[in-house]
Each structure stands twice: as C-alpha cells, then as structure tokens.
Amino acid sequence: MTLDAGALDVLFREARSHNGWLDQPVTDEELQAIFELAKFGPTSANCSPGRFVFVRSPEAKEKLKPALSSGNLAKTMAAPVTAIVAYDPKFYDHLPKLFPHADARAWFVSSAALAEETAFRNSTLQGAYFIIAARALGIDAGPMSGFDKGKVDEALLSGYGWKSNFLINLGHGDDSKIFARSPRFEFAEACEIV
C-alpha cells in the first residue's frame, strides 16, 4: 500500500521543525498514542533501547533549563512538552522478551562497545519514528541537540540509569514562527546506486 500525497505531505513534504508554540496542551493520551505508534518501528533484533521522558511540569522544566544551549532555551521553555529521547544502556536485559528467537542478550553482554553503539543507534531510530508518529497524529515536533547531556542525565535520568540522546519539543506549532525551508540535496548529490 502507498500513502496518498496528502499523507506524505503531513509526514514529510509540508512538515516542519517548529520553534514556536501555540498555547495548546499536549495530553497524556496524545503522548501515549504517539509512543504506541512509534514502538512498531524496526530496531536491530527488536532491541528497542529507546526510552522517553516527557518534561512538562514547571518543576521539571526548571531542571532541564540549565542544560539547554542559549539558542534552545526560549523555545524549549515555551514548548508544552519536551521529550528526552534516551536509551537504556542495559537494553539487552529485555532481549529474552523482545527477541525470543535466539540468545541475543549474549551478543551484547560480552561487548560494552557493541552494546553502547547499538543502544545509541537504535534509540536514534526510535526518536525519528517518534517524530513521524507525532506528525501523523497532529502533534508538531522540534527535534534538537544543543544541550549538555551530562546535566540532563544527572537532573532527569539518573533514577532510571538511562542516557540522553536528543530532545524533541512537542506541541501545536505556531506557523508564524517558522522561517523559510532550507534547501535539500537532489538525489544525485547524496545518492549512488552501485
């Protein structure tokens, strides 16, 4: 099945990264619906290392604030929700449930470097799926780096043992605060068929 042009516009061609937000909340139900859709995106050996912390309360935003770069401060503090896309370094402990076809846990417990690389790569994929799911469900996203990972991990993730990857501001975007779309590569500039 191929999506129609309107759906492709919503997900890609007309979708934008937002920096400004309307005064409309993002509900718990919307956050759960986004995750419930995004979780079906593929990861290697279904390892699913991505973890998501939704920063919404004023107290949590104040904990996040010192970790933000100056260019990300105002838009993040104004966003209804900021998702910390994180990963569980010990994701492999869940592989007996998530990948029962083989002893996949053994692949990672013997190599800390492989486990770290796998967790980071696949949580990045899961964060991308999360953005597409949000767009599909009518929630705008503003993904970003530009923050101090150590400060985020200490202030908001230490109780879980997770590590931050990147941030996504979520809400209903204010189209008046979007600048013109930046150029993209043409196929021949970025692709080779060999």
Side-chain angles (χ1 to χ4, degrees):
M1 175 175 71
T2 300
L3 296 178
D4 66 27
L8 294 175
D9 286 345
V10 166
L11 297 178
F12 295 102
R13 293 187 290 240
E14 299 297 325
R16 300 299 306 279
S17 292
H18 281 268
N19 297 305
W21 306 98
L22 301 175
D23 187 19
Q24 296 178 21
V26 176
T27 67
D28 291 358
E29 293 77 19
E30 287 171 315
L31 294 172
Q32 184 171 349
I34 295 167
F35 175 78
E36 293 296 336
L37 188 57
K39 72 182 182 182
F40 290 109
T43 56
S44 56
N46 198 36
C47 64
S48 305
R51 303 293 184 266
F52 301 86
V53 174
F54 300 111
V55 180
R56 182 170 48 201
S57 71
E59 298 80 19
K61 288 273 189 159
E62 284 301 314
K63 289 181 180 179
L64 181 61
K65 188 176 184 177
L68 299 170
S69 68
S70 60
N72 289 334
L73 183 61
K75 65 185 175 183
T76 301
M77 297 307 287
V81 175
T82 301
I84 302 170
V85 178
Y87 60 93
D88 182 354
K90 296 186 177 181
F91 69 91
Y92 44 76
D93 287 337
H94 301 280
L95 286 173
K97 171 185 175 178
L98 297 174
F99 197 75
H101 324 293
D103 181 16
R105 184 180 184 278
W107 306 341
F108 300 102
V109 295
S110 60
S111 174
L114 177 62
E116 178 71 16
E117 180 181 354
T118 300
F120 187 78
R121 177 181 297 123
N122 285 277
S123 67
T124 304
L125 283 171
Q126 289 183 278
Y129 303 143
F130 191 90
I131 293 166
I132 300 302
R135 290 174 172 177
L137 296 173
I139 302 295
D140 294 307
M144 61 190 171
S145 45
F147 68 98
D148 184 315
K149 290 178 57 152
K151 287 181 180 178
V152 168
D153 294 357
E154 183 179 334
L156 293 154
L157 301 180
S158 62
Y160 307 103
W162 304 338
K163 294 183 178 181
S164 56
N165 186 334
F166 66 100
L167 306 177
I168 308 171
N169 287 329
L170 298 166
H172 299 277
D174 182 349
D175 290 340
S176 72
K177 302 219 171 140
I178 298 176
F179 48 82
R181 183 184 289 281
S182 298
R184 299 298 197 269
F185 286 119
E186 297 296 331
F187 182 87
E189 295 176 289
C191 303
E192 290 290 336
I193 300 173
V194 296

